[in-house]
Amino acid sequence: MLTHRIIPCLDVKAGRVVKGVNFLNLRDAGDPVAVARQYDAAGADELVFLDITASHEDRSIMLDVVRQVAEQCFMPFTVGGGIRTIDDVTALIQAGAEKVSINTAAIVTPTIVSETARRFGRCATVVNIDPRRVKRNGKTIFEVHSHGGRRPTGLEAVSWAKRVVELGAGEIVLTSMDADGTQDGYDLEMTAAVSDAVDVPVVASGGCGSPEHIRQVLSQTRADAALVASIFHYGQYTVEQTKKYLAERGVPIRIDRYEHGPRL
């Protein structure tokens, strides 16, 4: 049986891990290298590192920080933010990223998804989709936003997810802008709609406030993994507590690293 993944997310701005609500009101959560090292020792399945203002500020991602995290962590490591060209992708892979997460560039230049998949494989090609609920012609849709959630694109999340998979994406990170940072739970409707529509892993993101929220999204949708930030960053729950909670409720989860204690 395939196990679900629990993935801490490091949103990084100006070299610091931050977390906000609905992509705004950011609070400091520590040094990214130190935080990443803690999650690696705690038994996280993967790590996502997002330079959340790189695209908005029209600059490249901080490769030195990526290298330091990659050198000190042994879990799979996905990096996104500020990617504009295949050269940017190549630089991230060479700096130690196992996967790259493309968001704004996929919208502006969709061929970058295909180029990344051809050069590094579908398994290394992740597309991050940031939708917000909006009214259009009397109906509510999930509209995709770019540039760190600052710009509406007119794209609808389900159709865009199908398109990026056609282009070569091997995984989708789906972040609900409405739920982000609220700790009120994942957007189950949106996650189900997207995960039902594609045949690649979907990582649910935005809104986690407890292990029960993770259980809900992994049990009630076809999401393969859950991205978690605030409850881990600020010490409300640990990775170990969360995994044990899920395992006790029948959610397939990897807990073998705890049999002899976490790696220090």
Side-chain angles (χ1 to χ4, degrees), residues 149-172:
R150 292 171 176 81
R151 300 186 191 179
T153 66
L155 297 169
E156 193 276 324
V158 173
S159 59
W160 179 235
K162 291 179 180 179
R163 176 61 180 144
V164 298
V165 171
E166 291 173 356
L167 289 166
E171 183 169 277
I172 290 170

Side-chain angles (χ1 to χ4, degrees), residues 5-19:
R5 293 166 290 152
I6 304 302
I7 307 175
C9 180
L10 307 187
D11 289 341
V12 178
K13 178 182 180 181
R16 300 288 293 179
V17 179
V18 295
K19 189 59 192 168

